[in-house]
């Protein structure tokens, strides 16, 4: 299956195809230059930077509370996970104690966000494979989650809800019932989505044994998140390097066996089910009490630097903050999972058919806002 | 494996789609006012300035804290001396004169609401950007107060800090003012209305 670089016959490359940046299946503005030999892909070259907004640089001129709004806009389908990563970094630097209630609400909302993100992946991946129905089903379910977000945080996408030291405001009184109702509904709909697509013959033919990446290669390339677990590597930062209060919950880590497109798809479907388990446990233990540790005046972390890694829906999201003691950070660096996962694309695409390029690209679930920052 | 499953997964998918044929629609017709989905109570639309119906003036004193904290610099504000304060009707020494929010630039983060000390600004439920004028999204003071009044009546808004921001002139004499100020002391009852809140607003 895999061909090493030396084996590629340069003379055989006869056509260069430009996919993107306005291609509808590139999930944003992403350009992929593909060299094909007949229908077989010989070499690909990803071009990124079309969505570069200079977020990391802007962070240096914003106060810590304003930066949370920028983190919302990195991975724009997993916003709360991004907010959490930055807040955790600053809290670690300031050595803040987070109230229990805030921790639980953060976890519940982040896991719901993970389901929403995977739902989006599910729908769009169906669309990539040529099935339009899954997209409509997935967006319907995602809409329910966003409705809950709207009633809790006030916004459907850009929440700005997680604050340094806690959360913005307490959840409504009927939050528990609302979430219970939602997850009961989600359980059914995940099964429904699973029935609809996972074992469909046409989908299996399109995704099985396509874009294979072995565990060793995946580790070498620094893959993370569901894309890494699909290759059979048991690595989930929620478990292996636990942050927040994830060590209190009992949940499984779905892993794949082969590392093909179907595994990467199915790991995400299974992960939604595991997220529901976390939400159920967190709801059962949800304590009463404070929601934020008040900070007097501006957020001014002491001089120093900190690195925090979290498991975002796409993988290992790292945030590095350097503080010079003022109310603005000296440097903020994000280690975006999508950006790192994208570099495996060349290996995955080599020697596959051109028609599968969209499926392989879709299976690593990139978000260009995070790749370009 | 695929040959064994021949047509089963396909049929399972068909059963799922067949089930949904008999249920009611989940979508809403957007522009129709009676059919669109209502926003949640906490929904954060564009910021609006709130109206103090008791004193008949805005809550906003133009202290600029929201302008300074806005991540996109979409606001500008200007304060003036409050004539109602001199008349003894209001407790607000300074009052907003000019306020503009570029709604096209606002990112609806709600930071202005968090930092406001006077309960003067709130995220309204207004969220539609389409306007007939080219610069229709530059909301001025009147527009913002109009949005605020609509929001206040819709959600029965009450101030978060009612005692502090009631806007009523203080009855008790705290301390005679000695420092020079643009406001001339009242000669009738000698009350000088100098509490910490009003000091903030003057800064």
């Amino acid at each position: 299956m895999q061909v090493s670089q030396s084996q590629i016959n340069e003379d055989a490359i006869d056509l260069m195809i430009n996919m993107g940046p306005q291609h509808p299946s590139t999930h944003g503005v992403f350009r992929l230059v593909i060299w094909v030999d007949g229908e077989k892909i010989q070499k690909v070259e990803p071009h990124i930077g079309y969505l570069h907004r200079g977020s990391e640089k802007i962070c240096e001129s914003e106060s810590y509370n304003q930066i949370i709004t920028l983190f919302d806009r990195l991975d724009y389908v997993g916003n709360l996970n991004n907010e959490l990563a930055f807040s955790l970094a600053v809290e670690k630097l300031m050595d803040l104690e987070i109230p229990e209630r805030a921790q639980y609400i953060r976890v519940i909302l982040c896991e719901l966000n993970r389901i929403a993100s995977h739902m989006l992946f599910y729908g769009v991946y169906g669309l990539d494979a040529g099935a339009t129905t899954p997209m409509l089903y997935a967006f319907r379910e995602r809409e329910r989650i966003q409705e809950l977000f709207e009633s809790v945080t006030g916004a459907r996408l850009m929440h700005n809800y997680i604050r340094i030291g806690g959360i913005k405001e307490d959840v409504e009184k009927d939050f528990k019932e609302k979430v219970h109702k939602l997850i009961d509904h989600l359980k059914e709909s995940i099964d429904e989505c699973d029935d609809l697509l996972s074992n469909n013959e046409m989908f299996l033919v399109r995704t099985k044994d396509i874009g294979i990446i072995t565990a060793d290669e995946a580790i070498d390339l620094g893959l993370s998140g569901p894309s890494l677990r699909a290759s059979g590597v048991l690595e989930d930062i929620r478990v292996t390097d636990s942050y927040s209060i994830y060590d209190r919950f009992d949940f499984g880590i779905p892993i794949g066996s082969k590392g093909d497109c179907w595994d990467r798809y199915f790991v995400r479907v299974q992960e939604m089910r595991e997220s529901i388990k976390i939400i159920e446990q967190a709801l059962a233990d949800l304590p009463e009490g404070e929601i934020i540790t008040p900070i007097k005046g501006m957020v001014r972390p002491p001089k120093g630097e900190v690195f925090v890694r979290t498991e975002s829906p796409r993988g290992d999201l790292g945030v590095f903050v350097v503080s010079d003691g003022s109310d603005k950070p000296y440097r903020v660096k994000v280690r975006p999972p999508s950006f790192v996962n994208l570099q495996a694309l060349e290996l995955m695409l080599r020697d596959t058919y051109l028609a599968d390029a969209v499926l392989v690209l879709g299976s690593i679930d990139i978000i260009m806002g995070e790749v370009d920052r | 494996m695929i040959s064994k499953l021949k047509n089963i997964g396909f049929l399972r998918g068909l059963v799922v789609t067949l089930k949904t044929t008999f249920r009611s629609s989940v979508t809403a017709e957007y522009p129709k006012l009676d059919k669109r989905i209502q926003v949640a109570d906490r929904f954060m639309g564009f910021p609006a300035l709130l109206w103090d119906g008791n004193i008949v003036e805005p809550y906003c004193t133009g202290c600029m804290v929201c302008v300074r904290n806005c991540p996109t610099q979409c606001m500008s504000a200007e304060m003036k001396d409050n004539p109602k304060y001199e008349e003894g009707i209001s407790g607000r020494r300074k009052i907003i004169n000019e306020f503009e929010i570029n709604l096209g630039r606002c990112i609806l983060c709600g930071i202005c609401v968090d930092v406001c000390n006077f309960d003067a600004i709130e995220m309204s439920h207004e969220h539609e950007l389409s306007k007939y004028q080219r610069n229709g999204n530059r909301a001025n003071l009147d527009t913002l107060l109009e949005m605020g009044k609509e929001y206040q009546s819709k959600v029965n808004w009450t101030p978060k800090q009612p005692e502090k921001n009631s806007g009523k002139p203080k009855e008790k004499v705290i301390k005679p003012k000695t420092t020079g100020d643009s406001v001339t002391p009242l000669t009738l009852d000698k009350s000088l209305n100098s509490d910490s809140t009003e000091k903030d607003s003057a800064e």
Side-chain angles (χ1 to χ4, degrees):
Chain A
M1 188 74 199
Q2 306 298 340
V3 189
S4 75
Q5 196 73 43
S6 59
Q7 280 173 277
I8 298 172
N9 183 2
E10 289 291 329
D11 298 336
I13 297 170
D14 56 6
L15 190 63
M16 187 197 97
I17 292 174
N18 196 19
M19 182 175 150
Q22 271 90 34
H23 193 280
S25 295
T26 52
H27 304 265
V29 272
F30 171 61
R31 178 172 167 228
L32 194 63
V33 181
I34 306 170
W35 280 270
V36 287
D37 171 18
E39 272 196 80
K40 290 252 168 149
I41 294 171
Q42 296 292 332
K43 199 176 108 184
V44 295
E45 201 181 287
H47 288 247
I48 59 168
Y50 292 95
L51 206 60
H52 180 68
R53 295 154 295 177
S55 299
E56 286 178 8
K57 189 68 188 168
I58 301 172
C59 288
E60 291 165 21
S61 56
E62 304 271 277
S63 72
Y64 284 91
N65 277 330
Q66 291 174 337
I67 291 173
I68 296 173
T69 63
L70 287 168
F71 269 74
D72 265 335
R73 285 156 178 81
L74 291 181
D75 176 359
Y76 43 75
V77 291
N79 323 66
L80 283 162
N81 286 281
N82 282 35
E83 288 178 20
L84 179 69
F86 179 72
S87 302
L88 284 174
V90 180
E91 281 153 12
K92 195 174 167 187
L93 198 56
M94 293 176 81
D95 212 9
L96 273 183
E97 190 81 32
I98 319 301
E100 284 284 289
R101 187 172 171 81
Q103 301 249 35
Y104 275 86
I105 292 168
R106 278 175 175 195
V107 164
I108 293 167
L109 293 179
C110 281
E111 289 307 311
L112 280 172
N113 208 177
R114 190 184 308 276
I115 299 173
S117 169
H118 285 342
M119 267 295 174
L120 184 98
F121 164 80
Y122 166 84
V124 178
Y125 199 55
L127 205 60
D128 283 345
T132 36
T133 320
M135 192 268 287
L136 299 168
Y137 281 46
F139 272 75
R140 187 189 71 207
E141 298 316 320
R142 185 164 169 260
E143 190 59 40
R144 291 183 214 281
I145 302 173
Q146 284 182 336
E147 238 166 61
L148 182 97
F149 283 161
E150 189 185 308
S151 71
V152 174
T153 68
R156 289 155 47 82
L157 282 176
M158 306 302 168
H159 310 288
N160 194 16
Y161 184 67
I162 294 175
R163 291 295 145 90
I164 292 150
I167 51 174
K168 184 177 150 197
E169 58 186 324
D170 204 355
V171 292
E172 288 166 319
K173 278 182 189 116
D174 58 346
F175 176 73
K176 267 191 179 182
E177 291 86 68
K178 265 188 186 167
V179 180
H180 270 302
K181 214 176 129 191
L182 178 70
I183 55 176
D184 286 345
H185 204 99
L186 281 174
K187 271 185 210 165
E188 281 172 28
S189 52
I190 291 167
D191 290 344
E192 192 182 74
C193 290
D194 198 6
D195 276 347
L196 184 66
L197 191 64
S198 301
N199 289 312
N200 188 310
E201 284 75 23
M202 286 171 271
F203 185 69
L204 285 173
V205 171
R206 288 298 303 277
T207 53
K208 278 267 178 195
D209 300 327
I210 308 283
I212 292 178
I213 189 154
T214 61
D216 289 341
E217 284 166 346
I219 292 168
D220 286 351
L221 285 165
L223 282 188
S224 55
S227 305
L228 174 68
R229 292 193 282 277
S231 300
V233 184
L234 199 67
E235 166 77 25
D236 187 325
I237 297 163
R238 288 175 293 175
V239 176
T240 52
D241 188 7
S242 186
Y243 58 94
S244 195
I245 49 162
Y246 276 108
D247 49 351
R248 297 181 197 174
F249 306 119
D250 175 33
F251 61 99
I253 309 169
I255 57 167
S257 52
K258 242 192 231 166
D260 58 2
C261 285
W262 193 83
D263 277 346
R264 283 194 284 278
Y265 156 83
F266 201 63
V267 160
R268 289 188 171 93
V269 174
Q270 295 285 52
E271 239 177 54
M272 289 196 262
R273 297 189 167 119
E274 299 303 325
S275 287
I276 284 181
K277 281 184 199 165
I278 300 176
I279 297 165
E280 276 176 339
Q281 291 168 46
L283 270 183
D285 304 347
L286 183 67
E288 294 293 324
E290 289 293 309
I291 50 146
I292 188 160
T293 310
I295 301 165
K296 272 188 187 171
M298 303 284 279
V299 180
R300 281 180 215 274
K303 223 173 188 176
E305 54 185 59
V306 70
F307 182 74
V308 160
R309 60 208 283 255
T310 61
E311 182 78 18
S312 95
R314 258 144 278 280
D316 182 352
L317 174 71
V319 178
F320 178 63
V321 180
V322 183
S323 164
D324 55 358
S326 69
D327 57 348
K328 288 164 185 162
Y330 180 76
R331 176 84 168 95
V332 176
K333 170 84 181 88
V334 185
R335 186 257 186 226
S338 297
F339 177 70
V340 183
N341 289 358
L342 194 58
Q343 69 177 332
L345 193 64
E346 193 172 358
L347 194 63
M348 287 177 189
L349 275 179
R350 201 177 290 158
D351 231 33
T352 59
Y353 286 106
L354 180 62
D356 295 328
V358 165
L359 276 167
V360 175
L361 176 64
S363 74
I364 51 174
D365 194 15
I366 52 162
I367 292 291
M368 291 316 287
E370 198 179 42
V371 175
D372 295 338
R373 302 193 290 297
Chain B
M1 180 197 150
I2 293 164
S3 58
K4 269 183 204 167
L5 285 166
K6 191 96 183 156
N7 289 336
I8 291 176
F10 176 60
L11 287 174
R12 270 169 77 182
L14 276 183
V15 170
V16 172
T17 46
L18 193 71
K19 273 183 206 160
T20 56
T21 319
F22 304 106
R23 58 146 178 75
S24 57
S25 159
V26 290
T27 48
E29 283 181 56
Y30 165 63
K32 291 185 181 169
L33 279 172
D34 53 331
K35 286 186 178 171
R36 65 164 70 171
I37 299 167
Q38 294 304 309
V39 294
D41 290 344
R42 283 187 188 179
F43 181 77
M44 294 198 293
F46 297 120
L49 293 179
L50 301 168
W51 185 255
D52 190 345
N54 297 328
I55 320 277
V56 200
E57 65 179 13
Y59 276 95
C60 182
T61 57
C63 69
M64 303 280 283
V65 68
C66 53
V67 178
R68 280 199 302 273
N69 278 283
C70 179
T72 55
Q73 292 92 40
C74 70
M75 303 170 160
S76 60
E78 193 186 299
M79 69 161 73
K80 65 173 179 189
D81 290 336
N82 189 3
K84 282 189 178 142
Y85 174 77
E86 285 172 39
E87 289 163 25
I89 308 165
S90 166
R92 296 187 182 87
R93 202 140 44 113
K94 301 277 181 179
I95 200 84
I96 187 76
N97 184 33
E98 208 49 69
F99 202 102
E100 188 180 272
I101 301 181
N102 187 346
L103 300 182
R105 218 176 153 157
C106 175
I107 58 167
L108 314 178
C109 61
I111 287 177
C112 48
V113 180
D114 287 353
V115 294
C116 186
N117 293 315
F118 300 103
D119 292 335
I121 194 163
E122 195 74 53
M123 301 307 267
S124 70
H125 288 175
E126 187 63 48
H127 60 277
E128 282 149 331
L129 266 173
S130 312
K131 296 279 165 15
Y132 286 104
Q133 289 83 31
R134 190 187 170 111
N135 61 352
N137 280 325
R138 289 182 158 266
N140 59 13
L141 184 61
D142 293 338
T143 321
L144 291 169
L145 285 170
E146 210 52 54
M147 280 159 67
K149 280 176 196 167
E150 201 186 310
Y151 174 75
Q152 275 169 297
S153 63
K154 190 180 168 191
V155 299
N156 291 326
W157 184 84
T158 47
K160 283 171 205 155
Q161 298 160 292
E163 306 89 41
K164 191 185 161 198
N165 293 323
S166 69
K168 288 192 188 100
K170 298 282 180 295
E171 297 294 323
K172 61 189 174 193
V173 178
I174 297 162
K175 197 176 156 190
K177 183 160 278 187
T178 48
T179 50
D181 200 295
S182 60
V183 180
T184 47
L186 296 170
T187 46
L188 282 172
D189 58 355
K190 290 181 186 174
S191 67
L192 290 163
N193 308 316
S194 58
D195 70 344
S196 60
T197 311
E198 310 310 325
K199 266 178 196 161
D200 285 348
S201 71
E203 272 165 13

